[in-house]
Amino acid sequence: MHRIAVIDYGMGNLRSVSKALEAVSNNASVVVTSDPQTILSASHVLFPGVGAIRDCMAELKHLELEHVIKQAAQEKPFLGICLGMQALLTHSEENNGVNTLDIFTGEVKLFQPAKNADGEKLKVPHMGWNQVHQTCPHPLWKGIEQNSRFYFVHSFYAVPEDKRVIAGTSAYPDDFAAALYKDNIFAAQFHPEKSQRAGLQLLENFVNWDGQSS
Amino acid sequence: MALAKRIIPCLDVDGGRVVKGVQFVDIRDAGDPIEVAKRYDQQGADEITFLDITATHAERDTMVHVVEAVASQVFIPLTVGGGIRTVEDIRRMLNAGADKVGINSAAVNNPEFVREAAEKFGSQCIVVAIDAKKVSAENETDKWEIFTHGGRKPTGIDAVEWAKKMVDYGAGEILLTSMDKDGTKSGFDLALTRAVSDAVNVPVIASGGVGKLQDLTDGIKLGHADAVLAASIFHFGEHTVEEAKQQMAAQGIEVRL
């Protein structure tokens, strides 16, 4: 039986993530936890998060979870969501610059004021339903139509050094990385737990994922 | 590929039931919040907002249970507003499954509360709700003022300046309600919506006055809103969210269908 650990480090609403996981998994148990042993003994690990990166990293340090996350990210199907994706990069420019977990080499940057092709001002945070263009086949995209809409709410976005780790892009107005992948790791800037049908499909794919990226 | 404009049905909840006030006075029953939320989710609502109009402390628990029940079954963003006054109020709603909270009077009484809330929970979940009324005469430049207590109490604060200030304090979104239009079914106050939306760099939700589908399109095209909120047009089955989106799409607005 699969056991999915949702990492609880005090950043945001974990109820939605765990309820959505429960809704898509028939024979998996979902546990919201900050206990290293529970995380490391789980079959799947979900690293969620909303809020600011400085607090996120401070909480991970405080709970001694940095190495636990790094280890889990090497070993088992691992899904980072929103801030839980941004924290996987090397460094974020939020909060005057914060060093992050460096699982994907790269930087997290703030959206600059911009206009779209119609001259309309693009607001920050990038909030709402945007299309995600799947740039590679991946088990987590299974059953999800190309260019499906997912719910985003963020002001910063990931810029990985190696573009080959990008699994999906969205445009605001320029293309940015909406999802990253590497081996057993998948990370989404959007919130699958808030993205209705397409989001639940992605979570279901994650629950059933063996950690192989093809 | 572009970000879609959002349609947000609003459920006024009192004692665990959905009701809708017309100009915040006359109240009609529109059903069980969980059933209503599920129906809107199926129709393609982009988010759902609950406005807790419960007055008593004891009934606040009812609202928490409503949010918990909805969040277990409806997987789109949920916002809860009404009576949010403390960090603890916010924490309770977020833990119950809300994604955002709307802060109204408490922001007027103590703007620092918005800063504190945004620092603690992140700007992405802090929506500042603004109730504005036009105070300029016909021959004057447009001017709107903030009102609290369901539109009864003037504050002397300019609505556009207030919106800018709230964004500086950390608001991630503005929910803008025209008190003149609310419940009239005569359309949004487009000049107000445009003035606020153009003045701030965060998303603005237009609210108050939707009576027909074209009003939603106008709120976005003419009012420059990023999202539109409506209640009675959807509650009583006059129109579905899907119909509204079809109509918006036909006029060139990017929507999630």
Side-chain angles (χ1 to χ4, degrees):
Chain A
M1 185 167 122
H2 287 168
R3 209 171 67 179
I4 304 151
V6 177
I7 301 176
D8 178 8
Y9 57 108
M11 299 296 285
N13 166 16
L14 303 179
R15 187 182 170 86
S16 302
V17 179
S18 60
K19 286 290 158 195
L21 284 171
E22 282 167 14
V24 298
S25 42
N26 291 324
N27 55 355
S29 70
V30 179
V31 52
V32 176
T33 181
S34 58
D35 174 52
Q37 273 322 308
T38 311
I39 295 167
L40 291 174
S41 65
S43 61
H44 292 62
V45 171
L46 195 147
F47 179 36
V50 294
I53 196 71
R54 187 182 50 209
D55 296 346
C56 163
M57 294 310 295
E59 280 304 308
L60 292 181
K61 200 178 212 76
H62 171 71
L63 294 164
E64 298 180 357
L65 285 176
E66 285 172 296
H67 72 278
V68 174
I69 290 172
K70 284 187 182 174
Q71 193 181 330
Q74 280 184 355
E75 290 175 348
K76 49 190 96 214
F78 184 98
L79 176 60
I81 296 177
C82 194
L83 196 64
M85 163 173 166
Q86 296 182 1
L88 303 181
L89 279 291
T90 312
H91 182 265
S92 171
E93 65 177 37
E94 191 177 5
N95 305 130
N96 300 318
V98 174
N99 287 326
T100 43
L101 296 167
D102 195 27
I103 292 169
F104 289 100
T105 305
E107 186 80 15
V108 173
K109 295 186 172 179
L110 178 66
F111 280 118
Q112 294 305 310
K115 291 185 173 179
N116 67 11
D118 299 331
E120 191 188 336
K121 184 169 71 171
L122 297 181
K123 306 288 186 75
V124 178
H126 169 235
M127 186 186 287
W129 299 79
N130 205 337
Q131 286 173 293
V132 175
H133 185 76
Q134 301 163 21
T135 50
C136 67
H138 192 282
L140 266 60
W141 291 136
K142 200 182 124 199
I144 299 171
E145 246 177 81
Q146 180 62 286
N147 299 327
S148 289
R149 288 187 187 273
F150 288 87
Y151 187 81
F152 290 81
V153 50
H154 62 124
S155 300
F156 292 80
Y157 63 100
V159 186
E161 206 172 272
D162 181 356
K163 303 300 172 209
R164 288 172 303 183
V165 302
I166 295 174
T169 58
S170 290
Y172 199 66
D174 301 326
D175 284 355
F176 67 91
L180 302 178
Y181 77 110
K182 181 166 80 173
D183 305 323
N184 55 304
I185 305 171
F186 194 90
Q189 179 59 65
F190 51 84
H191 289 269
E193 77 281 12
K194 288 287 160 185
S195 298
Q196 221 217 16
R197 212 164 28 239
L200 293 177
Q201 181 67 56
L202 190 140
L203 290 176
E204 188 179 331
N205 293 342
F206 172 65
V207 170
N208 295 320
W209 189 28
D210 62 2
Q212 303 294 314
S213 46
S214 58
Chain B
M1 299 231 306
L3 184 66
K5 301 297 181 185
R6 290 169 279 154
I7 294 188
I8 308 175
C10 178
L11 283 57
D12 288 6
V13 179
D14 186 15
R17 298 285 294 176
V18 180
V19 295
K20 173 57 190 171
V22 176
Q23 287 177 330
F24 296 116
V25 185
D26 185 27
I27 287 174
R28 288 160 75 186
D29 191 83
D32 170 39
I34 298 150
E35 292 310 312
V36 178
K38 278 160 87 172
R39 194 188 333 146
Y40 288 145
D41 177 41
Q42 283 157 10
Q43 288 178 8
D46 296 306
E47 294 182 23
I48 294 174
T49 289
F50 296 97
L51 187 60
D52 183 7
I53 61 173
T54 297
T56 68
H57 189 73
E59 284 187 0
R60 290 263 171 236
D61 292 340
T62 313
M63 191 62 211
V64 171
H65 295 315
V66 166
V67 175
E68 277 176 358
V70 173
S72 308
Q73 298 177 54
V74 174
F75 299 102
I76 58 174
L78 307 175
T79 302
V80 181
I84 302 288
R85 294 188 188 91
T86 65
V87 163
E88 192 45 41
D89 291 336
I90 300 175
R91 197 188 310 277
R92 274 188 90 193
M93 288 306 174
L94 296 181
N95 285 343
D99 299 282
K100 310 185 228 181
V101 293
I103 304 175
N104 194 336
S105 306
V108 178
N109 296 338
N110 175 23
E112 285 298 325
F113 174 52
V114 172
R115 200 194 297 276
E116 189 189 356
E119 276 174 10
K120 209 157 218 112
F121 303 103
S123 289
Q124 84 291 332
C125 69
I126 304 301
V127 183
V128 169
I130 297 177
D131 293 342
K133 236 182 222 184
K134 194 167 176 179
V135 290
S136 51
E138 278 304 316
N139 54 353
E140 291 173 335
T141 312
D142 283 343
K143 189 173 160 51
W144 298 269
E145 195 178 308
I146 305 295
F147 279 68
T148 59
H149 296 80
R152 293 188 303 275
K153 198 174 156 194
T155 62
I157 302 168
D158 179 79
V160 177
E161 291 308 313
W162 178 247
K164 290 201 284 201
K165 180 172 170 177
M166 287 296 93
V167 173
D168 287 343
Y169 276 50
E173 196 170 36
I174 299 288
L175 167 56
L176 179 66
T177 304
S178 161
M179 303 302 304
D180 302 308
K181 292 288 195 169
D182 198 71
T184 64
K185 291 185 165 276
S186 61
F188 294 119
D189 182 338
L190 296 172
L192 166 68
T193 308
R194 194 166 53 240
V196 172
S197 191
D198 289 354
V200 298
N201 198 39
V202 303
V204 171
I205 307 165
S207 156
V210 175
K212 57 185 189 305
L213 293 182
Q214 186 61 36
D215 294 337
L216 300 170
T217 301
D218 290 348
I220 285 163
K221 285 208 146 174
L222 307 175
H224 300 175
D226 301 280
V228 285
L229 181 137
S232 52
I233 187 176
F234 299 130
H235 290 341
F236 298 103
E238 290 164 49
H239 296 286
T240 64
V241 176
E242 195 180 359
E243 270 174 59
K245 287 190 166 180
Q246 297 285 5
Q247 212 245 19
M248 283 160 72
Q251 293 178 72
I253 294 175
E254 188 95 20
V255 290
R256 177 178 72 106
L257 285 169

